[in-house]
Each structure stands twice: as C-alpha cells, then as structure tokens.
C-alpha cells in the first residue's frame, strides 16, 4: 500500500512545534487500544479544549496529532500535522484487520478522488477565465466605445467606478465572509503541505470567496493575477472532496472515512495545488513541478505519478473546453489556444554577442526581484496596521488602491503622445485596432495613429503580457513609455498585494519583468520580444526563487523550447544574485503570517539546541500500559478531536 | 550547510542490508574519538579484510559505512551506502571545528564541480554524437555509392563487415577492459543512487570503455541507443571529478577531501546522471526529472537546484557547439538544431473523434511494453548462460547479433518493392534522395522511385525516428512495410540489449513504438506522424514506467507542446496497463543483477518481519565507551577503509 510503505521524512517542517509532545504521544499511541482512543475522542469533542495547562511554545498555542487522529481546526489556531507513519502495533493491527475489499476500495477511491480534483479544478479554472474575460472585456469595450464618441469624462467615470465597485465587492467578500481568502494563498498551501495547518484556510467559504473574489479582483483591473488563488482553490477543492464535502453543512459521506487522516489528505491537497497551477497557466508539467519544488517537502514517487495524472486531467479538460470555445460560444473569451503567450511563430535567434546583455539583464532582474521582496515586506507591515483597525478600513484601502490603479491605467495613456502606425500595418488594417485586443490600441488618437501606453495599460494583464512578449515589433513601444510602464507596474504590484482581495504575484512579476526586459532590449538594440521573455524569467527567479518549475511554466506559456538554454541561464543568475539579499517572497510571507515553517537550512544556532531549550517542565510521562479509563492529561485533548467541519 | 542540514530519509533503499550492523556502528561512532578512528583505518587498509566471521545477509557479503567513512570498493563486491547523517557528537564537533574558509571552500567547490560535470558531460555527449554521425555516415555513404555503381555484393560485404568489425571492437573492449560498461548502465546508476554500490561501476576504465564502446556500438547499426550509456557516462564523470581523478593511477587531489564521503558523492552523481540525459536527448529539464523520478529516492530541494544548474550548463554547451557546426565544420554531422526530432512545423490537430484510437493505441502500447519486459527478462537469462562461458563467447554472440542485424537492415529493403515518388516531390527533386539522409532513400530503385524500407532501416536510428515522426507523409510508408519494420525492430531490440556492448533501451523502444503507432495510424486512416509520436510515448510508458520525465523528454525531443494533453493521456493509460503485468524494465534488470534494491512498495510479507528474521547471532554489542586500543570485531573492518582507488 502506498500509504503504508511511506517511510520518507522530508524536511519535517511540522515537527518543530510538536517536538516536546512527540515522544509521549507516540508512546501512548503504541499502547492504547483503538477502541479506547475513539471513545476518548468523542468525549473530548463534547468537552471542548478548555483549561489548558500545557506548555506554550508558540504565541497562540500549539498542537500535535498522530497520523490516525483527525485534525481539529476550531479551537487551536495553528496546528502541526504529522505526516510520519508511526509503525506501531496498533497501526499494523489496523492494516491487518482490513479486508481485501477495503484495501481495494481505498486504492480505487484514492485515484478517483485525484482525477475528480483534476476535473473540478480544470472546470473552475476555465470558467473563472471566461468570467474575467467577459466582465473585463465588457468594461473595456464600453469605455472604448464612449471614447470613440469623444465622451471622455463619461468614459473615465464609467471605467473608474466599474473598477471601484468590483474592487469593493471583492474586498467585502474577503473581509466579511472569508478572511482567509485574501492574498495569494500559496504561502498557506506551502505551509500546510509542510505540516503547518492554519485555521480555515481550506474551508468551503474560503473556496467560494476565493473564486468569486479572484474573478472580481482581476476584472477590476488591479495589477494582480489569478494564478496564486488558483493554487489555493485547487487545494481547497482537494480538501473538500477528500473529506466528502463540508461537515459544517451536514454534507459528508461515511465511505470517505479512509481519507480523514493527515497523510492522505496531504497527498490529495498536493494534487490539488498542482492542478491549480496547471489550470491557471495551462501548464500541466509545470504544475507537477511547482507542487514538487515549492509546496511540499514530503515527496515520494507514487505522489509524482498521481500528481501527474491529476494535471493531465486538467490539461484534457482545458483542451476540450477551449476547443469548444473556438466556435465563438464563450462571449468575449476569444480564440486562444492551450498556449497562453505563444511566441513559437517568431524566429528568435541569438548569438554569443547577446550573452553579455543577457547576463546583465539577469543580474539586474535578480537585484530588482530582491528589492521587490524587501519592499513588499515593508509595505505589508504598514498595511497590517491599517487592516487591523477593522473591516471598513480594509475595504477603504482596497478601493483607494483601485482608484490609484484606475487613474494610472487611464491617465498614463492620456499623457502619452500618439504614435503613427507602421505603414505596412496601417495599410492592412491591423493598426490601430479599434476594439478589445490587438497590439495597437486607438486611444483618442487620429486615424493612422495608436497609443502605445493604452495598448499595455488599458487592457487585461494577459493581453498586456502578450503584447510585451510579441516579437518583430521593436519600434512599437518607445523607451520612455516602457520606463513609465515598468515603474507604474512595479509600484502598483507592490501596493496591490496586501489589499483584501485574492491576489496572485505571478502576473505582476511577469508584467514588470517583461517590461523591464523589453526596456533593456530597446536600450541595447536587441530583440525586444526575446528580452521581454527573459526579463520575466529574471524577475520570477529574483522574487519566487523557484527554478525548474518556473522554467517549465515559462516554456509551457510560450511554447519556445529553443530559448531553454537562455531561460535556464537567466534563472540561474537571477536566483543566485537575489539569494544573496533575502529569502523568496513566499517564505517571507509565511514567516510574516507567523506560521512556524521550518527553513530548508537550519539557523547555525539551532545546531546546538537541545530539548530542554524549547520545553518547560514538568515532563509528563506515560507508563507503558495506561488504563483506558484514566483521564488523559488535559493537554492531549486538543490533539485528538474530530471536528473537521469548518474546513 | 546543505550537507549538514539534510535530514531527509527517502525510501532508504540501502538501509536494508545495513540494518543488522547499523545500531552498533552508530553507537561506536558516537563514542570513538576521530583520531583513533583514522589510525584504525590505516591499519585496516594494510591488513585487508580477511577472516570474516560476520553474519552474511547477501550471497556475497554485505558492508556498511557511516557517512564519514570512505567506501572501500575492492574487497566486498556489493556495498550498502549510508546517506543518512548520524548527528552524533563526533559529527557536530567535526562541523564546529571547521573554519569559515573551509566551509566556503566546500560550498564553492560543490558548485564548481557541479558545473564542471555539466561542461564535461556536454562535451562528451556532443563529440560522441559527432563520432557516430561521421563513422556511420561514412559507412552508409560508401555503401550507397557502391550500390549506385550496381556493385551490390561488394556493397553488402562492405556494409556487413563494417558492422561486424565495429561490433567486435566494442565487444572486445567491454569484455577484456571494462566488463561493467556493457549494457545500459541506468540500472546500476539507479541502484547506486538508492544506496547500493556494485564494484567498479564508476571506475575510469568503465568510463572510457563506455564512451568508445557506445560510439562503436551505435555506429555498427545495432538497434540500440546511446542514451542509457550517456547516463552512466555522466555518473562516472561526476564520480571521477568528485574524487579528483583515479587514485589507482596516482592522479588525485587532496583539496577534494570533502567530497570523499557517500553523501556528497551521491549528490554529485545525481547531477551527473541528469547531465547524461540532458546531453543524450538535448533535454535539460527532462534530465532533471529523470534524475528525480528514476534515479534517486533521496531527494531534497537543494539538489533540484544544483541538478538544474548542471543540466543548464549542458544545454548551453550543446547549443553553442551545434551553432558552431551549422557552418559545416563537423563533417557529416549535419545541421540539426537543439531539438532532435522537431515536429512543431507540422500542423497536427486532433478532435474528440480521434480519442478512441488514441486510447486503443495506449492500451496496446502498454501490453506490448509489458511483453517487451517479459521477453527481455527471458532472453537475458538465456544470454547469461552464454556469457558465463567466457570472453570469446561474449564476442561471438555480439558479432552474431550484428550479422543478423546487418542482414535484416540490408535484406528487408531488398525484399521491398520500389514505390513511385509523389509527383510534386519528384518534380522538386526531393524524391528520391541520393545521399545520406532524407525521407526517400533510393535503393536500387529506378529514377523517380524510392525504397521505403531502406529509408528506415538503412539509416542511423536517429534518422529513422525522424522519418517516422514526420507528418504530412501518410502514404510514404505502406502498412505491410510498417508491419515488417515493427516486427524486425521489436525483435532486434530484444536480442540486442544483452550483448556485450554499451546499449541503451530508449532508442529501440522509441523506434518500435513509433513504427507501431504509425502502423495503427495508417490502419485507422489518422495522422500518421502524430500516431508515431504517441506510439513512442505508449511504448516508453509501457516499458520504462516513467511518466513525468518521459513526457518532458518527449516534449523536448519534438518541441510540440500542443500534444501535451494527448501524450499525458497515453502515458497514463499505458503505464497503468503495463503495471498490471510486471515491473519496469530497469527494476527488472536491477533485480536480475542481484543488486539488493528495495522496492518502493514493500512486499506484504515484509510488514511482519522483525530483526531476528534477517540476522543470525550472536549479537555483538559495544559498551558506551570503548577503549580505542581494543581490537575491533573483525566484521567492522571492511566498513571503514580508504581504498577508493578502483573507482
């Protein structure tokens, strides 16, 4: 059995808080018979978790569960999950007592659930994409039409109020219904998969708020992405499917009881996170690698294979739905393919002469990425003071940022002069484009002219990235314009992340990286489309510090394998440079949220720590046979409960 | 420090044989002072490893080393490597006593070595590729010229004797100089990375024989690949660089002493194996995933990052050398790009109607893959009887297989009728091609006709695969011809693997899978190029049972991301089907070689094993403080020695 055979122990992120309790707990579970334990569970559930005299390691208390106990989420704010199998007598007896049918049932169910997670996440990813394209498309189309009628003030008012209303709605949802849904969600999922459970991050309310809030947030024109939220959505879907719906709403199935333990739930949530990435970027292999690289330190090959199957289902669902939309049944969704930013049609060639510029780009990208992490940290600290004051403050902050963003995206094109169209494109009617997408946006420009800034800013983020990556358009965006856009996007990305909407970091980072790269390409006179792509890679390496998964995601986004050596080089350099200054952005946020996530590399001081440094006495021990009627010490109660309802 | 912080324990493949000794060993290293140990090492080296009264777990004896002892390879045939860090007092003291400069030195060296491995493996991969293309190209060119002069008998004699001489040379090398170089090498590397060390698999003679033998073997027209050997070559290079050359030849450096332990050497060899795949397939990401999925069960994120850097170097080396060859400086090497079998220019579209045929293909691929594994197992058993009879028998067997292969590849085209060229290609002079490569080989055909079988068989394997993958050529290869080619390649692949030359399994499997897929495509009237690719995927899934890495390798080979969902589906089905029958081909070979590799999933009977089932008494224990002058029990001597010379 897969679950039974696992003996890997990974980094053991969750072990730290449970260290003082671990030994007595496992000693107890070795000797207490199953039935006695379940009796005590039920009693404990009724009693609640009061009167704790247990030693406090963390600010808000800690907890430990064995892999057979089901995690309670209501009472203790942060829990430590134990993914290690304690192969004691009880465990072995439990496995031996199971019939062949039960084991077959478990195996089949494991696979059915993984594939179900893939389909559901694929559907959610696709429909949230359609919703965004239609809401944002309608907003931009109406703005554009009003401007064509020279009703500029009305257009601006419509645009800014549309954005503000969408932002306020998203913020209200996140504030009043699902506070855990704000932000990216990747840090929480990362912490969960490494053994740290925060309250209600995988609840059904969080899931619904995350979906709706993310659609509203992206449609509101914020400089944020839906990729991080999709990872969180995938994890939520997996968690809810694994426990057979939400117990809080009386919606649960008994035959899913095998999955009500930390280990199987963790496996399923790993699949969910991978499916999220696959659904967001349409990058199934990237999703598997993301789950492997960023999210989980407890890895084994069986999980690789299951994760791969899940993302394969996502890819197939997306492929067939996109094929269906090609016939124009999905409103403004457009006719995009499985590749989001396809650059394979461009002939990008590079020689050894380009190498110094590429290295320079990578170094600068690493520096700016590290600076991004530093500034984000500072800004989040300021925001946390504002957000702590109460729900209305959160909404006001969100609307304020929305207003600033709207002013930027409408005002900067206003300040930019019109550019004459390239003659060959003007003749073929491809410039200016009067409508929603296209490289050359008409924005109060005379016929035959286009507004370069509007092509990037008064657009969905996806279209802006597509424009930046496009090759053969070296003269389309001038240097001052790119500089202004880069500065605006970099700052807006920084100030947007902390507001109370579901906000991914991938898109802002790619957007600012691509504009920076294109700027450098324009300055050095090299291929701007290529440099935009490499700039995005350098910023991703500089902020996220992932390598293999970012590399594969970029390949799956752009479909140009010939650039692989260059992308790898850029990632290598930018990560190395940025690692010199600070940690990856997700690790920073995990730390800021107070989740007790253990680093890959321990601090040097930890080498000499002994148990007495982190626990306070008196030590409570169990005798090797403990009478089941004896009341357990009160601090063990919290660890063994059965209230998964809220998740 | 990376090495110090590692606490992962993976599957622990190597732990099994060392189990009976593990406890006393670690107890000893806790208490014995460093200096006393090294004194004993030296004495043991002089004494050798005689008079062993230790309990025998394996047929030929077993051994265990701590992570600080250096592994000896001369005396005990199979060793168990211990990658677990025992964080005892000695270990901590050793780390604390190191100065900052030493730690910096270690860190820098670790990276320099990883990048050096990348460059060297990239160079070897490239130059062996050039050698093969030139030797095989010259052979085929001369054959073709002789046939154009109607001197068929001379052509046949030249062709068959060329192949036989090359085969005999490769077999002689493998038999007399480096017996460990025969075969794929992936099973041995897989076993090594999972903690089982077989004698001289990473020695410098093995490396040189593997390189030269692989060039000869591939040039001899065998149905085998150079991909498996490249993985072995990468591992050898990493091992030799890590120990600073071969001690046997007095060629070693003292400042590499940090790397003379199991853990650091394992890390480096992981990088080497990944670099091998990257160099063989020009697939850097696939290399990382191969190392992750197939080779190692001891994984951590720091290693992912280092492996990635190594393969990035490989990709850059290959990219620049191929760029250099484009100007025609490399003889017959040709003008290929970084993508070996580029199909991205073909417009392959598929609809839901194709799905049943794809599923059928995947199921049949899984069945034929499992059959391949079964038959290979049987054939290897027969071959081992022949090979055991002595060196001349090995060479005779190799030459015999070479003669059969030559007769097939020269005889089958002879039996195939000529096909008239498609008129549009004949007009443009692209059919028939009179020369080395090209889709339409002229083989004693009248002008305007080509021989389809010769286009596949009288060619290098790489060119044959390229022809099979090529799209828009549905009528090029007829159904009977494809059936004959598939049967020939499938059987030749089976009988070739066991002969005494370095032989990879990837190419035979891809070749037979592609011909099978193309056959099915031709039978169902669907896109033959697409089905050839999917057929290759289904055979790879059915024999190797790798998923993510095969998927990425196929993507990097063909550069068509749009096929990703289909490839994933095919891999999923074929692996599932084949898993029902037997194990992956590499695991089979590992087991047949008698390497004590632990399965991912333990046998059910193992659940109830206790220590007394696998050890025999009397149990020797140490007291907690042991006087350093006391003579250690003789069975520990073998574990602590310093003779890495032969590797």
């Amino acid at each position: 059995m897969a679950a039974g055979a696992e003996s890997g122990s990974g980094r053991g992120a969750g072990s730290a808080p449970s260290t003082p309790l671990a030994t007595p707990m496992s000693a107890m579970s070795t000797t207490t018979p199953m039935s006695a334990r379940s009796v005590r569970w039920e009693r404990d559930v009724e009693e609640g978790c009061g009167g704790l005299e247990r030693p406090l390691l963390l600010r808000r208390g800690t907890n430990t569960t064995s892999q057979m106990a089901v995690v309670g989420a209501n009472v203790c704010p942060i829990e430590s999950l134990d993914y290690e199998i304690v192969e004691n007598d009880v465990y072995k007896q439990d496995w031996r007592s199971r019939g062949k049918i039960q084991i077959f049932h478990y195996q089949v169910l494991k696979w059915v659930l993984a594939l179900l997670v893939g389909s559901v996440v694929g559907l959610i990813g696709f429909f949230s994409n359609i919703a965004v394209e239609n809401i944002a498309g309608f907003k931009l189309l109406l703005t554009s039409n009003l401007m064509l009628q020279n009703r500029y003030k009305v257009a601006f008012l419509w645009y800014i109020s549309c954005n503000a209303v969408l932002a306020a709605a998203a913020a209200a949802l996140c504030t009043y219904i699902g506070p855990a849904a704000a932000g990216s969600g990747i840090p929480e999922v990362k912490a969960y998969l490494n053994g740290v459970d925060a309250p209600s991050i995988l609840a059904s309310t969080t899931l619904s708020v995350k979906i709706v809030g993310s659609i509203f947030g992206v449609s509101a024109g914020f400089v944020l992405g839906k990729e991080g939220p999709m990872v969180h959505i995938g994890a939520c879907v997996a968690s809810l499917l694994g426990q057979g719906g939400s117990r809080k709403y009386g919606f649960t199935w008994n035959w899913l009881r095998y999955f009500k333990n930390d280990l199987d739930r963790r496996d399923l949530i790993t699949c969910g996170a991978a499916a999220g990435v696959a659904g967001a970027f349409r990058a199934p292999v990237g999703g598997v690698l993301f789950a492997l690289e960023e999210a989980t330190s407890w890895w084994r090959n069986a999980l690789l294979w299951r994760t791969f199957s899940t993302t394969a289902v996502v890819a197939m669902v997306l492929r067939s739905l996109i094929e269906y939309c090609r016939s124009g049944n999905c409103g403004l969704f457009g006719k995009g393919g499985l590749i989001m930013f396809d650059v394979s049609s461009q002939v990008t060639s590079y020689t050894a002469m380009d190498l110094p510029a590429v290295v320079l780009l990578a170094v600068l990208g690493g520096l700016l990425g590290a600076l991004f992490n530093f500034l984000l940290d500072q800004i989040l600290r300021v925001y946390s003071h504002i957000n702590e004051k109460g729900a209305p403050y959160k909404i006001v902050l969100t609307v304020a940022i929305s207003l600033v963003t709207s002013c930027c995206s409408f005002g900067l094109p206003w300040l930019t002069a019109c550019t004459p169209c390239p003659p060959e494109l003007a003749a073929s009617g491809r410039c200016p484009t009067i409508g929603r997408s296209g490289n050359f946006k008409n924005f109060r420009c005379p016929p035959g002219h286009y507004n370069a800034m509007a092509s990037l800013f008064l657009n969905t983020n996806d279209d802006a990235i597509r424009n930046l990556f496009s090759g053969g358009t070296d003269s389309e965006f001038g240097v001052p314009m790119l500089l202004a856009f880069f500065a605006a996007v970099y700052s807006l990305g920084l100030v947007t992340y902390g507001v109370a909407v579901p906000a991914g970091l991938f898109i802002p980072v790619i957007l600012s990286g691509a504009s920076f790269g294109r700027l450098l390409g324009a300055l050095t006179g090299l291929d701007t489309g290529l440099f935009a792509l490499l700039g995005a890679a350098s910023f991703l390496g500089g902020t996220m510090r992932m390598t293999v998964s970012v590399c594969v995601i970029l390949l799956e986004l752009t479909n140009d394998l010939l650039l692989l050596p260059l992308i790898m080089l850029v990632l290598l350099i930018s990560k190395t440079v940025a690692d010199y200054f600070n940690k990856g952005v997700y690790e920073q946020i995990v730390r800021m949220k107070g989740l007790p996530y253990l680093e890959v590399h321990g601090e040097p001081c930890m080498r000499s720590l002994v148990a007495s440094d982190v626990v306070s006495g008196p030590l409570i021990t169990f005798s090797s046979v403990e009478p089941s009627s004896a009341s357990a010490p009160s601090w063990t109660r919290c660890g063994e409960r059965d209230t998964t309802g809220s998740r």
Side-chain angles (χ1 to χ4, degrees), chain A:
Chain A
M1 305 298 302
E6 166 159 311
S7 64
S9 72
R11 275 184 245 153
S15 320
S18 69
T19 307
L21 313 180
T23 320
M25 275 298 287
S26 50
M28 189 192 69
S29 45
T30 316
T31 52
T32 319
M34 245 350 226
S35 55
R37 288 184 71 189
S38 52
V39 167
R40 206 162 59 222
W41 282 351
E42 282 162 26
R43 206 191 52 219
D44 280 350
V45 171
E46 285 160 27
E47 284 185 9
C49 192
L52 311 177
E53 298 94 23
R54 69 193 148 137
L56 291 171
L57 176 64
L58 295 169
R59 262 177 312 157
R60 297 189 288 178
T62 185
N63 198 356
T64 182
T65 59
S66 90
Q67 81 287 350
M68 291 202 285
V70 176
V71 188
N74 282 337
V75 189
C76 304
I78 293 181
E79 308 213 14
S80 165
L81 307 173
D82 189 358
Y83 298 140
E84 195 77 54
I85 288 179
V86 183
E87 284 226 9
N88 52 30
D89 291 343
V90 180
Y91 176 82
K92 285 181 185 163
Q93 201 182 335
D94 181 43
W95 266 100
R96 286 198 193 112
S97 68
R98 292 191 191 181
K100 278 202 173 172
I101 294 177
Q102 276 180 302
I103 291 177
F104 182 73
H105 180 186
Y106 168 81
Q107 291 280 24
V108 169
L109 209 58
K110 205 167 66 175
W111 279 94
V112 168
L113 279 175
L115 302 183
L116 204 61
V117 167
S119 338
V120 172
V121 173
L123 287 173
I124 292 177
F126 182 73
F127 285 112
S128 78
N129 209 338
I130 283 198
V132 166
E133 295 275 329
N134 277 301
I135 297 176
F138 175 72
K139 180 189 79 182
L140 290 169
L141 203 59
L142 203 64
T143 312
S144 166
N145 285 343
L146 287 170
M147 293 190 64
L148 284 176
Q149 299 161 21
N150 288 331
R151 295 163 68 190
Y152 297 118
K153 278 186 192 161
V154 182
F156 178 66
L157 276 178
W158 159 255
Y159 181 75
I160 200 169
S161 54
C162 236
N163 284 350
V165 167
L166 285 168
L173 280 173
C174 281
T175 311
Y176 293 111
I177 301 177
S184 159
I186 291 181
E188 286 89 347
V189 173
K190 186 179 160 94
Y192 183 92
L193 291 176
N194 287 296
V196 184
D197 191 16
S200 75
I201 56 161
L202 299 175
S204 55
T205 46
T206 308
L207 173 62
S208 23
V209 169
K210 199 102 195 180
I211 296 174
V212 181
S214 168
I215 292 173
F216 285 176
V218 176
S219 309
F222 279 121
V223 180
L224 52 77
K226 58 186 183 304
E227 280 69 17
M230 270 304 291
V231 174
H232 194 171
I233 288 169
C236 287
V237 167
S239 167
L240 291 173
L241 282 178
Q243 67 185 27
S246 171
R247 180 168 296 193
K248 201 170 169 185
Y249 304 109
F251 186 63
T252 182
W253 293 292
N254 231 352
W255 48 270
L256 285 169
R257 62 189 178 282
Y258 301 124
F259 290 87
K260 292 192 190 292
N261 64 66
D262 288 357
L263 188 73
D264 282 318
R265 177 177 291 153
R266 188 269 322 256
D267 285 357
L268 206 55
I269 288 175
T270 307
C271 291
V277 176
F281 291 111
R282 306 178 197 164
V285 180
V288 173
L289 289 173
F290 178 86
L292 166 61
E293 189 170 4
E294 183 71 359
T296 180
S297 53
W298 306 69
W299 196 261
R300 62 215 153 90
N301 267 4
L303 201 54
L304 190 71
W305 169 221
R306 195 138 32 108
T307 320
F308 182 78
S309 318
T310 312
T311 59
V313 171
V314 174
M316 284 181 275
V317 168
L318 285 179
R319 172 66 172 67
S320 43
L321 288 174
I322 288 173
E323 202 61 27
Y324 173 76
C325 277
R326 253 178 224 276
S327 42
N329 300 320
C330 305
L332 297 171
F333 177 69
K335 304 195 176 4
L338 202 60
I339 314 290
M340 284 175 77
F341 313 121
D342 200 336
V343 300
S344 62
S345 57
Q346 304 160 21
V347 184
T348 42
S349 65
Y350 52 96
T351 58
M353 303 296 291
D354 297 351
L355 224 55
V358 170
V359 171
L360 178 71
L361 173 77
V363 171
L364 290 177
L367 289 175
L368 286 167
L371 182 68
F372 189 91
N373 288 5
F374 172 76
L375 293 175
L376 189 68
D377 191 85
Q378 301 300 315
I379 289 171
L380 286 180
R381 280 174 206 283
V382 175
Y383 277 14
S384 73
H385 291 301
I386 302 174
N387 286 336
E388 271 171 13
K389 288 188 183 168
Y393 284 85
K394 284 190 189 179
I395 299 178
V396 167
L397 178 65
T398 311
V399 173
I401 298 295
S402 166
L403 294 178
V404 171
T405 310
S406 303
C407 289
C408 274
S409 55
F410 204 92
L412 282 181
W414 204 272
L415 299 176
T416 314
C418 291
T419 322
C421 282
E424 69 279 8
L425 291 177
S428 64
R430 283 163 57 204
C431 175
T433 41
I434 304 176
R436 206 180 110 263
S437 71
N439 264 0
F440 300 95
K441 275 234 162 179
N442 170 288
F443 178 93
R444 57 184 289 266
C445 282
H449 287 68
Y450 69 96
N451 188 308
M453 186 62 97
S455 305
L456 295 181
F457 233 143
L458 210 64
N459 223 332
T460 59
N461 291 332
D462 285 1
D463 280 332
I465 293 175
R466 204 166 286 126
N467 286 347
L468 284 171
F469 281 174
S470 67
T473 51
D474 287 2
S475 56
E476 184 185 346
F477 304 112
V479 169
M481 188 250 121
L482 281 171
L483 193 61
F485 181 72
F486 166 66
V489 165
Y490 192 82
S491 336
L492 284 174
L494 279 170
V495 297
T496 306
Y497 182 76
V499 302
V501 291
L505 276 172
F506 267 99
I507 292 293
V509 168
I510 292 180
L511 209 50
S512 43
S515 51
F516 174 72
R518 206 175 168 101
L519 179 64
L520 205 74
L523 283 175
T524 54
L526 297 166
D527 187 333
T528 48
L530 170 66
F531 270 71
L533 178 55
L534 296 179
S538 75
F539 267 54
L540 285 172
T543 52
M544 316 248 161
R545 314 289 161 86
M546 292 178 279
T547 48
V548 187
S549 50
V550 161
C551 182
V552 173
I553 288 175
L554 275 176
L555 285 183
E556 291 188 284
L557 282 177
T558 59
N559 192 16
D560 198 345
L561 271 165
L562 291 172
L563 296 180
L564 187 57
L566 271 195
I567 293 179
M568 290 177 104
L569 177 70
V570 166
L571 281 173
L572 223 68
I573 295 173
S574 66
K575 178 181 148 74
T576 310
V577 168
D579 269 345
Y580 189 77
F581 295 100
N582 47 30
K583 291 189 185 307
V585 66
Y586 294 128
E587 286 183 27
Q588 272 191 1
I589 297 172
V590 165
R591 176 178 287 193
M592 198 179 296
K593 292 207 172 212
L595 300 172
Y597 179 79
L598 276 196
E599 306 293 323
V600 184
H601 304 296
E603 298 287 330
C605 66
M606 288 182 185
R607 291 213 163 271
S608 48
L609 278 184
V610 292
S612 64
D613 293 337
V614 287
V615 290
S616 61
L619 180 64
I620 301 169
T621 53
F622 290 87
S623 57
S624 64
V625 177
E626 199 76 24
S628 66
S629 60
S631 75
S634 58
W635 55 263
T636 65
R637 282 181 191 154
C638 212
E640 296 199 322
R641 53 184 48 261
D642 200 8
T643 50
T644 47
S646 70
R647 297 215 267 132

